[in-house]
Amino acid sequence: MSTASDLIYLDNNATTRVDPAVVEEMLPWLSENYGNPSSGYRFGQKVNAALETARERVAALIGSEPGEVLFTSCGTESTNAAIHSALAMDRDRQHIVTTRVEHSATLKTCELLAKRGHPVTWLGVNSDGQIDLGELERAITDETALVSIMWANNETGVTFPIEKIADIVREKGAVFHTDAVQTVGKIPFALRDMKVNFLSLSGHKLHAPKGVGVLYVNRRLKFTPFLTGGGQEGGRRAGTENTASIIALGKACEIAAQQIAHEATHVKKLRGDFENGILARVEGVRINGDPVNRLPNTTSLAFGGVESEAMLMLLDQRGICCSAGSACTTGQHEPSHVLRAMGYDDTRARGSLRFSFGRFNTPADVARALEIIPEIAEKVRRVAAAA
Ligand SMILES: *Cc1c(COP(=O)(O)O)cnc(C)c1O
């Protein structure tokens, strides 16, 4: 077992380290400032004011009004809430359009809705991981309640042309939700310039703690709450707020807004050096997905002739954290649904690993990974060839 100090964390799409400045911001709200933000006395109202500052900080990062920011418990809840609300808008519009490469938060929810009788259209992707915009346009009908399409894929980093997609959906009169959990903090954008109705983000992918998220709800949209009960969040999301984590998320968004350009350059350089290093040192490696339209921090690599599960185990022993598919599917030996949707055969899908870089990675991490990974790949190939 490696110690934390020699850990090489290359799995920033699974979760990120909480930024020390975020921890510091959060601590008083876990200790002395424990008031309930819904209480009318000053001890509660002080907490409420801090929540509103957090809301403003999130809004500044995503280019929305603070009133369009709804705090939730995670990215998954945000996505569920968006889908639920869109289906509650009009009884005659119960059709959903989504893609085959979504995160399980959307995928499993839509599968469940399909079982309950909602018609669902699943858009496929090409070998670059891109959807066909003509097919999207044709899929939307007068009965379509919602189009839910992720902005950036968590496994491959491939980004969809979300502005164009939002325009198409608006033109056809349906509601549009995008899962931007992997986008926020990595790609700058302003929702006020876009035709997006709902957007989901998650704290822990952005150097805030786990268990806090945001659903952006465009102010012109009629919203039906997913969680009902108390009047928190302006009656749009019941349940006492996770105050410390929300305040932490606000701080994380403030830092992201300040550092986004610098950070994108930093992680892109690390990703590029890593990718080129692997391609130069290990034979038969291919990049999965569109190499141009993708996040700056992610690379999904197909190592020919290896089982990624075997690689993961040996890499873990050497302190390298990365993943095969998404964290949510680890433990199942199913090949990634994303790579399969891209038309890759099971061998390619099962031999693929995702490496995702972040704010706290260094060139030394890349150098160390480039020593270890080729050695492990060769070892796994030797064992496979002997079997
Ligand atoms: C992590 C992730 C989610 C889920 O967010 P949670 O806060 O963990 O529920 C949803 N979509 C994408 C693309 C993700 O990467």
Side-chain angles (χ1 to χ4, degrees):
M1 201 47 219
S2 51
T3 60
S5 62
D6 57 34
L7 189 76
I8 302 171
Y9 188 76
L10 305 181
D11 205 14
N12 286 276
N13 286 9
T15 197
T16 58
R17 176 182 180 163
V18 182
D19 192 300
V22 170
V23 175
E24 198 182 322
E25 179 94 3
M26 154 178 213
L27 287 178
W29 310 95
L30 283 170
S31 48
E32 63 262 37
N33 299 329
Y34 57 83
N36 188 321
S38 297
S39 299
Y41 40 74
R42 283 169 301 159
F43 185 57
Q45 285 312 296
K46 181 179 171 182
V47 183
N48 190 51
L51 291 189
E52 293 316 309
T53 300
R55 207 182 301 282
E56 285 163 16
R57 287 170 167 176
V58 175
L61 179 64
I62 66 176
S64 76
E65 298 294 323
E68 295 175 313
V69 171
L70 206 66
F71 291 112
T72 67
S73 68
C74 58
T76 301
E77 185 196 320
S78 299
T79 292
N80 273 262
I83 295 171
H84 174 81
S85 181
L87 290 175
M89 273 176 75
D90 183 345
R91 291 176 61 122
D92 296 328
R93 284 180 173 261
Q94 296 294 307
H95 170 232
I96 298 171
V97 178
T98 188
T99 79
R100 292 200 185 281
V101 296
E102 298 297 310
H103 183 274
S104 50
T106 305
L107 197 75
K108 298 282 173 186
T109 304
C110 290
E111 277 174 7
L112 191 68
L113 288 166
K115 272 193 201 136
R116 291 184 188 155
H118 292 268
V120 176
T121 302
W122 301 93
L123 301 174
V125 295
N126 64 18
S127 60
D128 268 350
Q130 290 292 350
I131 59 168
D132 179 328
L133 297 184
E135 191 185 340
L136 164 68
E137 196 170 351
R138 288 189 296 278
I140 306 168
T141 71
D142 291 346
E143 287 172 12
T144 306
L146 178 73
V147 176
S148 186
I149 295 182
M150 68 197 324
W151 195 329
N153 190 277
N154 46 302
E155 292 189 26
T156 58
V158 169
T159 54
F160 287 139
I162 283 302
E163 293 188 46
K164 273 190 211 158
I165 290 171
D167 288 346
I168 291 170
V169 179
R170 179 65 57 88
E171 188 71 26
K172 293 284 236 164
V175 169
F176 181 50
H177 166 253
T178 187
D179 169 353
V181 170
Q182 291 295 346
T183 317
V184 179
K186 294 176 187 147
I187 297 175
F189 61 88
L191 286 167
R192 69 176 69 85
D193 303 331
M194 301 172 65
K195 296 189 175 79
V196 170
N197 301 108
F198 289 117
L199 176 142
S200 297
L201 68 89
S202 171
H204 74 102
K205 306 288 174 78
L206 184 73
H207 303 287
K210 293 155 190 66
V212 64
V214 160
L215 177 63
Y216 156 86
V217 183
N218 184 279
R219 64 193 174 284
R220 291 187 201 89
L221 201 69
K222 181 168 165 278
F223 181 71
T224 303
F226 182 53
L227 289 189
T228 51
Q232 292 90 353
E233 294 293 286
R236 295 178 297 174
R237 198 272 186 183
T240 303
E241 297 88 344
N242 182 354
T243 53
S245 292
I246 290 171
I247 291 161
L249 176 55
K251 184 67 182 174
C253 287
E254 186 189 58
I255 296 171
Q258 287 161 357
Q259 301 198 357
I260 195 161
H262 165 79
E263 196 162 308
T265 311
H266 169 72
V267 295
K268 196 170 181 178
K269 168 93 170 76
L270 295 177
R271 195 262 313 263
D273 290 349
F274 174 79
E275 211 166 59
N276 294 333
I278 294 291
L279 293 172
R281 287 170 177 79
V282 189
E283 260 173 63
V285 176
R286 284 172 296 176
I287 298 172
N288 295 324
D290 189 334
V292 179
N293 300 298
R294 80 181 156 146
L295 293 173
N297 80 314
T298 308
T299 180
S300 170
L301 298 176
F303 290 78
V306 310
E307 279 285 340
S308 52
E309 293 297 329
M311 290 251 324
L312 281 181
M313 258 176 51
L314 294 173
L315 290 172
D316 183 27
Q317 288 172 4
R318 304 289 293 274
I320 295 185
C321 303
C322 61
S323 84
S326 74
C328 318
T329 51
T330 301
Q332 300 164 231
H333 286 268
E334 285 286 295
S336 147
H337 70 281
V338 175
L339 300 180
R340 265 192 323 200
M342 290 161 74
Y344 300 163
D345 57 26
D346 272 10
T347 316
R348 179 163 178 175
R350 282 179 196 280
S352 291
L353 290 175
R354 175 191 73 188
F355 302 89
S356 46
F357 297 83
R359 180 179 301 163
F360 297 110
N361 286 123
T362 62
D365 290 338
V366 171
R368 189 89 189 99
L370 288 177
E371 281 171 29
I372 296 170
I373 295 168
E375 189 193 311
I376 304 275
E378 197 196 318
K379 191 168 174 179
V380 171
R381 280 178 180 168
R382 255 201 329 265
V383 172

